[in-house]
Amino acid sequence: MLRSISLAIAGALTAASVAGFAAHAQDAASSGTDDPIKTRQTIMESFGASAKVGGGMIKGEIPYNPAVGQLVLATLDAGAHTFGHYFPEGSDTGDTEASPKIWQDMDGFHAKIGDLQEATAAAVKAKPQDLDAFKETFGKVAKNCKSCHEDYRVEKD
């Protein structure tokens, strides 16, 4: 019973992050507005929700389920192939944690995005069926997230 509830919660969290990401992207496209800061923040929120579910499975807080693991990885992959488009000139000021270094080193930033895209695409393709395989696959993706955050993110107080 507890396992079923945990799986339902994990699935709902992941589905909500995917749905929220898709809804925001659709809303931005249909309204004709393009706020790159809000868009990339929404994508990062979907990353955070997915990482929370993935981390919960790794820590044993949520029972591992291959379908949920695949949703986590697919959400990260979708974001990795999208968010890099939302750092145009002029979007370095305002309510953002994006470091000015992004615009000073756009080639380096895009290289990090490329590394993340490779890791997420490989993770989705791997389709981990057990917790050990998920840990390894998810760990490679998380390593790329951390590397980019260390170089290109400014944490707010």
Side-chain angles (χ1 to χ4, degrees):
M1 174 76 166
L2 182 58
R3 178 177 167 84
S4 297
I5 293 169
S6 296
L7 291 176
I9 290 170
L13 286 172
T14 304
S17 69
V18 172
F21 168 56
H24 179 76
Q26 178 63 34
D27 185 46
S30 66
S31 69
T33 62
D34 185 23
D35 183 342
I37 294 173
K38 286 185 180 179
T39 301
R40 67 186 185 232
Q41 286 172 343
T42 299
I43 295 167
M44 287 294 170
E45 288 170 8
S46 75
F47 274 25
S50 295
K52 186 172 183 171
V53 173
M57 289 191 293
I58 289 170
K59 293 175 188 173
E61 298 167 352
I62 303 169
Y64 181 70
N65 178 291
V68 174
Q70 195 66 16
L71 280 171
V72 165
L73 299 172
T75 301
L76 295 171
D77 187 51
H81 285 87
T82 306
F83 83 101
H85 300 286
Y86 294 97
F87 292 87
E89 288 294 327
S91 67
D92 56 335
T93 60
D95 184 22
T96 181
E97 293 181 8
S99 170
K101 186 177 176 185
I102 291 170
W103 292 270
Q104 296 163 3
D105 181 25
M106 192 59 77
D107 290 341
F109 180 63
H110 283 291
K112 293 272 187 175
I113 292 172
D115 293 343
L116 177 62
Q117 290 170 343
E118 287 179 21
T120 59
V124 168
K125 187 177 179 181
K127 298 181 181 177
Q129 295 300 304
D130 60 48
L131 183 58
D132 288 336
F134 182 77
K135 284 179 183 179
E136 181 180 342
T137 303
F138 185 80
K140 290 176 183 176
V141 172
K143 180 179 176 183
N144 279 281
C145 292
K146 180 180 179 187
S147 173
C148 195
H149 281 194
E150 287 174 347
D151 292 344
Y152 296 106
R153 180 181 181 199
V154 176
E155 291 199 39
K156 294 182 180 181
D157 296 328

